[in-house]
Amino acid sequence: MASIVVAGDTSGTISLTAPAVAGTTTLTLPTTSGTVLTSASSVASSQLPTGSVLQVVQGTLNSFITTSSSTYSDIGLSATITPSSSANRILIFSTIEGTGKNTGNTKIGLRLLRDSTAINVFSTETGRSTDYGANAQVDVGTISAVNLDSPSTTSAITYKIQLASVSNVAQVFINNFGASPALGSTLILMEIKG
């Protein structure tokens, strides 16, 4: 097995050893300066193509939340992410287990905030509602949304979900069906290279 030994600038050596293969194998070196990768983790995010996922953060809520108020308030479902570049965007997946005990159509008000700024509202205020029936029972459903946000910052950002009772709803619940806990709610943040 043939080897090429290169002396280090100050000490030591680097050996390039040919593999035991039949035939001819050609290794073409680039015409520009660069660094040899020794693992995937050594790839800088600046070298990745646009649209690459740079990091993923998840927030979960498993506790039972209820309100009868028409004023939006925090429910404890949040996640914080720090973008590596102000050109990058945040892809947000929200999945909330919601129920409502209604006097008319059940419409649960939910909104997504970036820090203190509402960036999406899932309620009758914008014509988007979650309607689970028109009887006096507790109705259940999974409320899902996907948002692509451009925060234009490299500072830490907290995304969170708020809840309100809207449109004839006597009481709304998160993570509850009757008296039994339902599936948990999640908020997933993905930093996408811009």
Side-chain angles (χ1 to χ4, degrees):
M1 183 180 293
S3 296
I4 298 174
V5 179
V6 180
D9 283 345
T10 56
S11 64
T13 60
I14 297 173
S15 295
L16 302 177
T17 303
V21 296
T24 301
T25 300
T26 303
L27 175 64
T28 303
L29 298 176
T31 58
T32 59
S33 299
T35 302
V36 175
L37 299 179
T38 57
S39 68
S41 62
S42 63
V43 179
S45 60
S46 60
Q47 301 300 311
L48 295 173
T50 298
S52 297
V53 177
L54 304 182
Q55 62 173 314
V56 179
V57 177
Q58 175 176 303
T60 60
L61 175 69
N62 296 309
S63 57
F64 168 57
I65 305 294
T66 183
T67 186
S68 298
S69 174
S70 60
T71 300
Y72 283 98
S73 60
D74 295 350
I75 61 173
L77 180 56
S78 66
T80 300
I81 193 168
T82 304
S84 57
S85 168
S86 59
N88 296 342
R89 296 180 290 178
I90 307 299
L91 184 60
I92 307 150
F93 297 90
S94 311
T95 303
I96 296 100
E97 294 296 326
T99 68
K101 193 169 188 178
N102 59 304
T103 57
N105 285 338
T106 301
K107 295 181 179 178
I108 300 171
L110 292 164
R111 69 179 182 179
L112 171 68
L113 285 81
R114 181 206 318 120
D115 292 330
S116 60
T117 302
I119 60 175
N120 198 6
V121 179
F122 314 94
S123 75
T124 54
E125 291 180 0
T126 57
R128 291 186 292 273
S129 64
T130 305
D131 193 337
Y132 299 129
N135 54 52
Q137 303 299 315
V138 175
D139 303 296
V140 65
T142 300
I143 307 157
S144 298
V146 179
N147 295 91
L148 186 61
D149 188 37
S150 300
S152 301
T153 185
T154 55
S155 299
I157 312 161
T158 297
Y159 290 89
K160 64 183 178 180
I161 297 291
Q162 290 187 329
L163 172 70
S165 174
V166 297
S167 186
N168 299 321
V169 182
Q171 192 173 15
V172 294
F173 312 91
I174 296 296
N175 297 341
N176 180 269
F177 176 66
S180 300
L183 295 174
S185 299
T186 60
L187 187 63
I188 298 175
L189 312 178
M190 301 173 70
E191 181 183 5
I192 308 297
K193 185 178 178 183

